[in-house]
Amino acid sequence: MKRRQFILKSAGGLAIVLMPALILQSCKTKYDSSLALPQQLTFIWDVTTMIAIGNQYQQQFPDESNERKLVKLLMKDVPDKKDNSINMEEKVIEDYKRDKTVLLDGWILSETEARQCALFSITHSN
């Protein structure tokens, strides 16, 4: 094989191998990082506890153990996309009013809080 053919084939093979990684990197979910922080729970829990609760939620609901899916669920029906902390607090209150709760490690959490913990655990495991 001639040098020119070798270089062209090597470059083509490298491009084929790297293409999926580049596509996945460009599709990374973008969102406000405050979305992954359950405000009220930070007063009673440390980082380790929030990660543990988030991991438990992911085990209990494996179809929601994806960063993109969690962001989509958290942002669903959010009127003001700019101020996530207020929006999430309102969603938490609505969850409790509508009995949309989850039992994790003896704690009764709203779905929103549990999803925020799951997102928190995903972002802090990377």
Side-chain angles (χ1 to χ4, degrees):
M1 181 183 306
K2 293 185 180 182
R3 186 181 318 172
R4 181 180 172 105
Q5 288 177 327
F6 174 76
I7 291 172
L8 288 174
K9 287 183 181 183
S10 296
L14 187 60
I16 290 171
V17 170
L18 292 178
M19 191 62 72
L22 293 173
I23 291 171
L24 286 175
Q25 185 64 27
S26 68
C27 295
K28 187 158 175 71
T29 306
K30 295 178 185 174
Y31 58 91
D32 182 4
S33 61
S34 67
L35 189 62
L37 190 63
Q39 293 294 321
Q40 297 300 318
L41 298 179
T42 60
F43 294 116
I44 56 173
W45 289 344
D46 60 2
V47 170
T48 308
T49 305
M50 285 192 286
I51 290 172
I53 292 293
N55 289 335
Q56 281 186 357
Y57 182 82
Q58 291 176 63
Q59 290 172 353
Q60 222 172 344
F61 301 94
D63 58 320
E64 293 184 24
S65 61
N66 175 301
E67 184 177 23
R68 177 170 286 166
K69 173 85 172 193
L70 287 167
V71 169
K72 185 177 179 181
L73 289 168
L74 287 168
M75 294 304 291
K76 182 179 178 187
D77 301 326
V78 172
D80 181 13
K81 307 282 190 216
K82 294 178 184 170
D83 195 352
N84 286 328
S85 59
I86 292 173
N87 290 324
M88 291 304 110
E89 286 180 32
E90 290 171 358
K91 282 187 77 166
V92 167
I93 291 168
E94 280 301 310
D95 284 352
Y96 283 118
K97 284 181 182 177
R98 295 182 180 180
D99 201 29
K100 294 170 75 176
T101 59
V102 181
L103 180 64
L104 297 169
D105 196 32
W107 293 88
I108 298 174
L109 302 174
S110 76
E111 281 184 352
T112 301
E113 290 172 318
R115 287 174 175 156
Q116 284 182 294
C117 285
L119 186 58
F120 185 82
S121 70
I122 290 171
T123 58
H124 284 72
S125 67
N126 296 336

